[in-house]
Amino acid sequence: GENVEQHPSTLSVQEGDSAVIKCTYSDSASNYFPWYKQELGKGPQLIIDIRSNVGEKKDQRIAVTLNKTAKHFSLHITETQPEDSAVYFCAAPTYGGSQGNLIFGKGTKLSVKP
Amino acid sequence: EAGVTQSPTHLIKTRGQQATLRCSPISGHTSVYWYQQALGLGLQFLLWYDEGEERNRGNFPPRFSGRQFPNYSSELNVNALELEDSALYLCASSVGGVNYGYTFGSGTRLTVV
């Protein structure tokens, strides 16, 4: 089965700085890697995802990179804003694909100081 | 389009009682996933239902069970409640399997006293 490790567990940055969160996974057959943002009192929300046929994907201030050889993927947030403060989770599928369910990392609490 | 809805929002039960949590997926989504989010422990996978069948379960005891109805809504039952079952229980749905991502509901906060 899949195992997902995420670090750091907490991250504090100044507004305008960049933030990077890293995850590793164990199942080399995994081919889909989403990132979720969870704000206080809400369920996690999908913010970006990447499939194994690309190495990087960007959406405005958010980007995700994937290194399949090393089995790790990272979330990059540039020009951070106070509203980026939340808990971020990475995930990877069990069974390497569409027949499985997502296994989540333990989360990173990001604090953006004004 | 309505999102994933969960009820109740909050639930307080006494140790030893049973709890029933409900989830309605997004229209057209056939897969429902349940996760437990205890304080500081991230998202722990509980159960996955698709087309009315249990497809997979996580490392939880048998007193955690559930079902999926013909309209794809789902129910999570927790029997013989223990204090450590206190957590946020999240339901998610997906249209085409895990590779299309999940949409989560806001969760049910279960407190066992």
Side-chain angles (χ1 to χ4, degrees):
Chain A
E2 182 65 273
N3 183 47
V4 178
E5 301 284 341
Q6 180 175 348
H7 59 94
S9 56
T10 60
L11 180 59
S12 182
V13 300
Q14 286 294 132
E15 182 177 357
D17 288 349
S18 295
V20 180
I21 303 170
K22 299 181 179 182
C23 286
T24 60
Y25 61 96
S26 60
D27 188 347
S28 58
S30 290
N31 55 11
Y32 173 71
F33 307 93
W35 286 90
Y36 288 80
K37 175 183 180 182
Q38 186 176 27
E39 297 175 324
L40 202 60
K42 298 182 179 180
Q45 180 182 11
L46 178 67
I47 56 171
I48 195 168
D49 56 17
I50 190 168
R51 301 183 189 279
S52 59
N53 57 343
V54 297
E56 184 176 7
K57 182 178 178 180
K58 288 183 179 180
D59 183 4
Q60 299 183 347
R61 297 185 296 108
I62 293 174
V64 57
T65 59
L66 171 64
N67 183 327
K68 284 221 72 179
T69 302
K71 290 192 279 188
H72 66 71
F73 57 112
S74 300
L75 178 70
H76 305 253
I77 305 174
T78 58
E79 301 173 25
T80 54
Q81 301 169 3
E83 52 264 38
D84 295 328
S85 295
V87 180
Y88 292 81
F89 293 95
C90 63
T94 59
Y95 309 121
S98 62
Q99 298 307 311
N101 48 268
L102 290 176
I103 300 300
F104 287 82
K106 292 193 180 302
T108 296
K109 184 176 181 180
L110 174 64
S111 299
V112 180
K113 299 180 179 179
Chain B
E1 177 184 79
V4 177
T5 57
Q6 292 188 244
S7 63
T9 305
H10 294 84
L11 190 58
I12 299 175
K13 291 286 185 178
T14 303
R15 190 171 51 184
Q17 286 187 316
Q18 178 195 40
T20 298
L21 288 63
R22 296 180 176 83
C23 172
S24 292
I26 290 173
S27 178
H29 287 195
T30 62
S31 284
V32 171
Y33 308 83
W34 287 95
Y35 285 80
Q36 182 194 66
Q37 189 175 27
L39 196 62
L41 291 180
L43 295 159
Q44 303 294 315
F45 169 68
L46 267 166
L47 290 160
W48 166 31
Y49 292 96
D50 182 63
E51 298 286 356
E53 300 285 332
E54 181 182 301
R55 301 297 184 182
N56 198 16
R57 68 178 292 128
N59 189 25
F60 281 84
R63 57 190 186 82
F64 287 84
S65 65
R67 53 180 172 168
Q68 186 178 34
F69 300 98
N71 66 354
Y72 303 116
S73 67
S74 179
E75 191 175 89
L76 174 69
N77 294 294
V78 188
N79 294 320
L81 284 166
E82 300 179 0
L83 297 178
E84 51 265 35
D85 296 334
S86 295
L88 180 68
Y89 289 83
L90 290 160
C91 170
S93 71
S94 175
V95 63
V98 68
N99 277 4
Y100 293 87
Y102 293 169
T103 301
F104 279 94
S106 295
T108 293
R109 173 71 62 184
L110 173 63
T111 302
V112 183
V113 297

